[in-house]
Amino acid sequence: MRLHDLDMLLRDTRDAAAQAALKKMGFKVSGVEQLEQARAELVAQVDRRWILLYDRVFKRYGRAVAPVKDRVCLGCFATLPTSALPPPADSDAVSVCQSCSRILYWIG
Amino acid sequence: MGTNALLDPSLYIPDLAVDERDAALRGMVERLHTHGTVRDPAAVLRLLIQREALGSTAIGKGVAVPHARSLAVASAHLVFARSPRGIDWAAPDGEPVRLVFLLLAPDTAPWHKRYLDLLAELVSVVRLARNRNRLLEAGSFEPLASVLRDLS
């Protein structure tokens, strides 16, 4: 989830339209290198196999993580099987949508 | 979605008693966590501080508009805080910040785009001196909410 949020922030800093809009509002945006460094440090803390999955799905859809609400993946809107459960909070495991392969973030 | 849905009296902090930016952000995120809007306050606070590292979200004239989208945010909300003492927010004009608007939105449709539009509308409202004065002088939530309700 943290990696996803960071990547979306990075995307905004690289998006010309978003940058123009933020500049027009009066926000100065620079120092992307610092954000990239924070991303690299975060990636180093995550199991390599999840990073490979994350990168693969990110390339495919532009977003690797999808929220789950009422057992529906909000990435592809498939209903998850009853066997799909959120991973324990204290584990490094992730759950994946069997339909679209996005990493799932359970919100309700 | 209009601003009405973003405003909530419990998300109004009339007297933010801190001097530092990060402490102000922490207090506002904690308020949203208590409200039920933020699931992971530590992650959201970290993201907001990372956003500040890209450039201060203070826009001058004593106003800061920190903002972020996150999966850890359940619904879009606006926290409004006033700091009578002023907060050092590395503003472009060097003025301490006395009005803080924290805009958080989920990273789900329609907020991918709507978020920047709403941020622009909010900034345009607080750039007007008469609106800033009304916000600084409001004695309760209702008059200040009326200033922000004009956002579409």
Side-chain angles (χ1 to χ4, degrees):
Chain A
M1 184 275 289
R2 281 173 53 196
L3 185 58
H4 170 93
D5 284 351
L6 201 52
D7 275 342
M8 292 304 105
L9 183 56
L10 270 166
R11 176 179 287 175
D12 280 348
T13 66
R14 292 167 179 150
D15 181 272
Q19 281 307 295
L22 288 167
K23 192 175 174 184
K24 193 176 172 187
M25 290 178 224
F27 297 113
K28 197 175 78 176
V29 179
S30 59
V32 179
E33 301 79 13
Q34 199 176 332
L35 212 56
E36 286 169 341
Q37 176 65 29
R39 186 189 191 279
E41 288 170 9
L42 185 56
V43 164
Q45 296 168 25
V46 180
D47 191 316
R48 181 83 183 137
R49 64 191 155 142
W50 299 134
I51 293 297
L52 290 172
L53 171 67
Y54 178 96
D55 287 344
R56 192 168 68 241
V57 180
F58 188 90
K59 277 179 193 160
R60 183 169 180 188
Y61 297 116
R63 276 183 164 76
V65 184
V68 176
K69 192 169 186 184
D70 299 329
R71 304 200 66 78
V72 172
C73 166
L74 297 185
C76 67
F77 297 98
T79 300
L80 303 178
T82 50
S83 58
L85 295 169
D90 58 349
S91 90
D92 291 334
V94 299
S95 57
V96 172
C97 176
Q98 291 179 7
S99 175
C100 67
S101 299
R102 287 180 176 92
I103 296 167
L104 299 172
Y105 181 72
W106 298 70
I107 62 173
Chain B
M1 174 186 267
T3 315
N4 262 348
L6 307 180
L7 296 170
D8 185 311
S10 70
L11 299 178
Y12 167 45
I13 306 175
D15 186 359
L16 196 60
V18 295
D19 301 318
E20 295 178 346
R21 182 200 71 191
D22 291 1
L25 289 172
R26 185 178 299 110
M28 296 174 86
V29 170
E30 283 298 334
R31 182 65 66 99
L32 279 163
H33 182 52
T34 305
H35 181 260
T37 300
V38 165
R39 294 183 198 90
D40 186 341
V44 171
L45 178 61
R46 190 180 292 110
L47 185 66
L48 287 167
I49 292 171
Q50 284 169 330
R51 168 62 188 88
E52 294 291 338
L54 289 171
S56 173
T57 57
I59 56 172
K61 306 287 185 190
V63 178
V65 193
H67 51 271
R69 276 171 308 184
S70 171
L71 284 171
V73 174
S75 55
H77 272 95
L78 186 65
V79 185
F80 171 56
R82 289 192 305 203
S83 169
R85 286 190 293 188
I87 302 165
D88 179 8
W89 210 290
D93 60 3
E95 271 193 45
V97 162
R98 296 173 66 201
L99 296 173
V100 187
F101 302 86
L102 170 60
L103 177 63
L104 288 179
D107 191 44
T108 52
W111 289 105
H112 300 146
K113 182 177 185 305
R114 178 80 188 104
Y115 158 77
L116 275 181
D117 293 341
L118 187 64
L119 187 61
E121 290 167 25
L122 180 59
V123 167
S124 70
V125 167
V126 296
R127 278 202 181 283
L128 294 176
R130 68 168 186 275
N131 286 338
R132 289 198 304 275
N133 290 335
R134 285 170 67 193
L135 292 165
L136 283 167
E137 290 162 6
S140 63
F141 174 77
E142 197 46 44
L144 71 88
S146 71
V147 176
L148 300 169
R149 277 193 185 120
D150 294 338
L151 301 177
S152 56

